[in-house]
Amino acid sequence: EVHLVESGGGLVKPGGSLRLSCAATGFSFSSYNMHWVRQAPGKGLEWISSISASSIYINYADSMKGRFTISRDNAQNSLFLEVESLRAEDTAVYFCGVVFGTTEIPDYWGQGTLVTVSS
Amino acid sequence: HSALTQPASVSGSPGQSITIACTGTSRDIGNYDYVSWFQQHPGKAPRLLIYGVNKRPSGVSSRFSGSKSGNTASLTISGLQAEDEADYHCSAYIGSRSLIFGGGTKVTVL
């Protein structure tokens, strides 16, 4: 069974940084593209970034370029998202997703990890 | 790319059919047949309902169907049930392994 478990969220002061993790089990992690999206309280989903299976291709939403860094460790079946210079508007639940099909849109998402940016 | 446009809310009575529209542009929905729909209950992860405009993953009820015309994709829920009360999100591929989402639609079963 496919399982994606995000971790690393919490309460952070403005200007701080975080490293979010996504642990994958139940599938061949190294074979599939991965994505991060976020959801601010009461809002819709917002795409952040994607990374190809071998990390050759990395893409970011224009609004996320500069402060967000996606990476993966296929040996550890893990996906990461580093966020710097955190702002109040970065407060959200962050989800990781895996693309199994051919549409480039994730088929399966984890339960998410909450990041709260507040002083 | 701006976010896709969805109505904030749609409601219907049990047994009725409802349709949620997701409007984009010729650079996203109009350019690729890669549109997905997700259902999300409060505090839960998004669940894939439709991919590739109109395909259902195994395990998803046939009451959910998707379509596309021009720059607008649609999700129809037929035979509305109480358990369908949730938020629904559309997503489109915009090239270079990049995506955009709609703002989400809250479905209320009256």
Side-chain angles (χ1 to χ4, degrees):
Chain A
E1 184 182 358
V2 173
H3 256 91
L4 296 171
V5 179
E6 300 90 339
S7 61
L11 177 62
V12 187
K13 287 183 167 51
S17 61
L18 270 181
R19 189 191 201 208
L20 306 180
S21 300
C22 169
T25 58
F27 65 100
S28 180
F29 178 75
S30 61
S31 299
Y32 299 100
N33 298 344
M34 299 291 294
H35 290 248
W36 284 100
V37 302
R38 69 182 182 182
Q39 186 173 34
K43 302 295 186 183
L45 298 170
E46 182 179 26
W47 181 72
I48 299 172
S49 180
S50 69
I51 185 168
S52 62
S54 57
S55 303
I56 291 177
Y57 301 106
I58 289 176
N59 299 90
Y60 298 96
D62 287 343
S63 59
M64 310 292 178
K65 288 177 182 175
R67 296 191 302 120
F68 293 76
T69 303
I70 192 171
S71 62
R72 64 191 295 164
D73 183 340
N74 286 344
Q76 298 294 323
N77 293 333
S78 294
L79 175 73
F80 306 102
L81 183 71
E82 295 191 53
V83 191
E84 302 174 340
S85 304
L86 281 156
R87 311 162 180 165
E89 51 266 37
D90 294 320
T91 293
V93 177
Y94 288 72
F95 297 96
C96 62
V98 57
V99 181
F100 289 128
T102 58
T103 68
E104 300 289 351
I105 301 175
D107 312 85
Y108 188 84
W109 301 93
Q111 293 292 319
T113 185
L114 175 63
V115 173
T116 303
V117 183
S118 175
S119 54
Chain B
H1 290 262
S2 300
L4 304 173
T5 300
Q6 296 180 236
S9 63
V10 173
S11 62
S13 299
Q16 285 186 329
S17 294
I18 62 171
T19 296
I20 303 169
C22 172
T23 302
T25 70
S26 59
R27 295 190 301 154
D28 39 68
I29 290 180
N31 198 31
Y32 301 95
D33 282 338
Y34 292 171
V35 177
S36 293
W37 289 90
F38 298 92
Q39 178 191 60
Q40 187 182 31
H41 287 103
K44 300 295 186 182
R47 172 198 173 208
L48 181 66
L49 291 179
I50 297 290
Y51 67 96
V53 175
N54 55 15
K55 301 175 182 60
R56 274 190 313 275
S58 61
V60 173
S61 171
S62 58
R63 297 187 300 104
F64 295 95
S65 61
S67 62
K68 187 184 89 166
S69 177
N71 300 333
T72 298
S74 299
L75 173 72
T76 297
I77 309 175
S78 57
L80 200 61
Q81 298 180 0
E83 68 217 45
D84 299 332
E85 189 159 293
D87 294 327
Y88 292 80
H89 306 273
C90 61
S91 178
Y93 178 67
I94 58 173
S96 300
R97 297 166 197 80
S98 303
L99 313 176
I100 52 172
F101 285 87
T105 298
K106 182 176 180 59
V107 168
T108 301
V109 181
L110 301 172

